[in-house]
Amino acid sequence: MTKDVIALTPRMPDPWAVLAGLLSGGPDKLVGTRGDGAVIQLCDAQGRPLVSVEAPLLVSVEGEAERLLGTTAPPVPYWWTEARATTGVAEAEQLAGAFATRLAALVGGSAWPPDAAGSLAVVKSDGVSVAPEPAAAQPAIDVLTAKVAVVIQDRPVVAMTAWLSDAFRAAAEAGLGLQIVSPAGTTLSPVVRDALGGWPSRWIVQDDRDGYYDGLTGAVLRWQDGAFDPVISPDATEDDPRTPVAAAYQEVHDTGERQLGLTFRMVHPADERLVLGGGLETVWRELTGEPPAGWGTSEPANLPWSPARLTDVAHERAPEPTWFVAVGNRSRPGIATVRVTRTKAGVEEEVTLAFGYGADEEPPLDALPAAAEALAARHRLQSMLVQLRKARRDVAVPPHFEGPGVPLAFVLGAEEVRAMPGDRARRTPLSEQPVRLGPRTRPALYYPLPGNPSDLAGWQDFETLMRHLKGA
């Protein structure tokens, strides 16, 4: 049984329904809270958590249960209530399943995963004890060492849930890496991939043949000295470590699916009238014909798309940075992350966006110049890079090799063009010269990269362009 159990209900679980679910451990179980009451916990006799239950989340975005859980949810809006069982305690897993089953029985809906639905009877857990502090202090962390915090995720997609976001935050505050362990067949949300960063943080995939391997690099791993680290070949040297690569990671089949990726940065004056998210919506409309479906500060993205509400959240958190995720609808898979930061230059928005396309679908490459011009003219674009790569249509990250993207275009904002000395920005060593966007007196420049999208020549063109613009 999975460590995470989720109740998807058409009605909000009221306090009495939650209490009835918590009584799955019997009336003598200790109940505690964390996070100013946002998390309720069933505890053992020493007050350590067996099951942690997050406050119900109202989801008003279609397709999120299908994307993250592979299941059908009630019609939107519906309530998403997560319970996480303490790892390695069978009774805790039964308690989490009984909690979700009771909740769904009382307010309607269903429990995920399907095999989590158990008996409504009280789970016998007398004498059960769990790991001591500090590992049990953070319900998302399963193992804690001097090097890393380890999180075990047994779900179809490892997403940036509120649980996992808390684990990232706790690990960062403690100066530790975060290592996520998942079974074979699990995929990773691009949001989590981008948050992992470098060593010692990793995505670790369990494998029948090689034991464990890094889902992003393929390196075979072993638990050693308090962390998952690469296995070193016996004939390795300092210059050539020769880390073995898992066989499963190398099993790649070209399905013809592709992803169009855009990374762009905007810098706005710090003005009370500023509305954030407009640049992302502009690009989304230009490339798909409609705005994002929803957004949130974690996954699932639970709120209907609203730049005004997004701006309010960023304003409340200022001057601290704010992070958002935005998603598309099922007909055109897309996901974006937005990081808002207050700097000396003003308010910066950094956006990473990807759309997925099937083998019989063509990415709208002809619409890219118009999207870039709209960003430059209305949203103070600083720069943008566009790439195309062979990758899954559903935009999830699989535990096998996916090649790098090929740069298709680079865009330089009007202020950056104006600040560049001489005629450097307008004349490049590339065979294709830049396209002027916007007013002739203050143009942004769109640089088509003439490399063949089916190979890596585009990177050579991009590096040549960057050296030229930097004056190297």
Side-chain angles (χ1 to χ4, degrees):
M1 188 181 294
T2 183
K3 304 299 183 296
D4 297 337
V5 180
I6 300 168
L8 304 172
T9 61
R11 293 186 290 122
M12 179 181 178
D14 57 66
W16 289 110
V18 173
L19 179 59
L22 291 172
L23 289 176
S24 59
D28 57 338
K29 274 288 163 284
L30 300 177
V31 177
T33 62
R34 293 184 60 83
D36 297 325
V39 177
I40 301 175
Q41 297 177 321
L42 275 176
C43 303
D44 65 6
Q46 287 72 43
R48 294 173 301 203
L50 289 165
V51 176
S52 300
V53 181
E54 184 116 325
L57 180 70
L58 180 63
V59 178
S60 301
V61 181
E62 290 186 352
E64 284 296 86
E66 290 82 354
R67 178 175 75 92
L68 298 177
L69 302 178
T71 190
T72 301
V76 295
Y78 62 88
W79 293 88
W80 178 303
T81 307
E82 289 211 21
R84 180 170 176 82
T86 297
T87 303
V89 182
E91 290 82 359
E93 298 174 24
Q94 295 171 22
L95 282 170
F99 166 81
T101 301
R102 285 189 173 205
L103 209 59
L106 288 169
V107 297
S110 60
W112 178 92
D115 60 4
S119 170
L120 298 180
V122 171
V123 176
K124 295 181 179 180
S125 55
D126 295 338
V128 171
S129 186
V130 299
E133 303 279 0
Q138 170 52 255
I141 293 176
D142 297 294
V143 178
L144 192 64
T145 75
K147 293 182 179 179
V148 298
V150 179
V151 175
I152 300 173
Q153 290 277 275
D154 186 3
R155 42 206 300 173
V157 180
V158 177
M160 188 62 82
T161 60
W163 295 117
L164 195 55
S165 179
D166 287 344
F168 268 105
R169 189 178 303 110
E173 290 174 352
L176 303 173
L178 186 72
Q179 299 193 333
I180 302 170
V181 181
S182 66
T186 297
T187 60
L188 196 68
S189 165
V191 180
V192 179
R193 176 198 58 198
D194 296 342
L196 275 174
W199 181 89
S201 296
R202 298 182 186 277
W203 173 32
I204 296 115
V205 180
Q206 294 175 305
D207 182 61
D208 291 339
R209 287 173 287 182
D210 291 295
Y212 297 92
Y213 69 93
D214 189 311
L216 300 180
T217 68
V220 176
L221 306 172
R222 293 290 182 271
W223 181 261
Q224 44 198 343
D225 298 326
F228 282 98
D229 282 324
V231 172
I232 305 300
S233 176
D235 55 351
T237 65
E238 290 186 6
D239 296 330
D240 184 7
R242 300 186 184 182
T243 300
V245 176
Y249 183 79
Q250 302 177 65
E251 293 174 351
V252 181
H253 304 284
D254 186 359
T255 62
E257 296 179 326
R258 290 171 291 176
Q259 289 179 17
L260 182 64
L262 301 91
T263 304
F264 54 96
R265 181 189 298 268
M266 301 162 286
V267 182
H268 314 282
D271 190 297
E272 291 185 354
R273 296 170 295 179
L274 172 64
V275 177
L276 300 168
L280 175 60
E281 179 175 333
T282 294
V283 171
W284 211 295
R285 286 185 181 276
E286 289 286 345
L287 298 182
T288 71
E290 55 191 10
W295 71 284
T297 56
S298 62
E299 294 180 283
N302 65 308
L303 300 169
W305 177 249
S306 170
R309 291 191 64 184
L310 184 151
T311 302
D312 289 341
V313 173
H315 183 74
E316 291 171 2
R317 295 185 177 182
E320 295 298 317
T322 304
W323 173 93
F324 304 103
V325 60
V327 297
N329 59 41
R330 282 171 283 186
S331 63
R332 173 56 57 223
I335 191 166
T337 57
V338 184
R339 183 175 176 83
V340 180
T341 311
R342 181 67 183 270
T343 67
K344 292 181 180 179
V347 179
E348 296 189 10
E349 276 187 278
E350 185 173 355
V351 180
T352 301
L353 168 63
F355 293 111
Y357 300 88
D360 57 347
E361 298 175 310
E362 285 299 322
L365 304 184
D366 293 342
L368 291 172
E373 184 161 27
L375 279 178
R378 303 201 300 268
H379 300 286
R380 297 180 177 270
L381 176 69
Q382 185 180 62
S383 63
M384 179 169 73
L385 176 63
V386 183
Q387 302 180 60
L388 186 66
R389 70 190 190 103
K390 296 179 180 180
R392 293 168 59 116
R393 183 182 187 272
D394 63 6
V395 302
V397 181
H400 61 69
F401 177 76
E402 282 190 326
V406 176
L408 300 182
F410 179 74
V411 185
L412 200 60
E415 290 300 319
E416 283 62 39
V417 171
R418 185 179 182 184
M420 200 162 290
D423 212 23
R424 185 191 303 164
R426 295 173 178 81
R427 299 183 182 276
T428 76
L430 302 181
S431 58
E432 293 187 45
Q433 292 305 299
V435 177
R436 184 182 291 110
L437 304 176
R440 190 177 186 86
T441 55
R442 293 185 66 256
L445 294 177
Y446 181 95
Y447 300 88
L449 296 171
N452 186 344
S454 64
D455 59 35
L456 296 181
W459 279 114
Q460 299 173 356
D461 300 322
F462 178 68
E463 291 172 0
T464 298
L465 175 63
M466 290 299 100
R467 287 196 299 269
H468 171 77
L469 295 177
K470 293 177 181 178

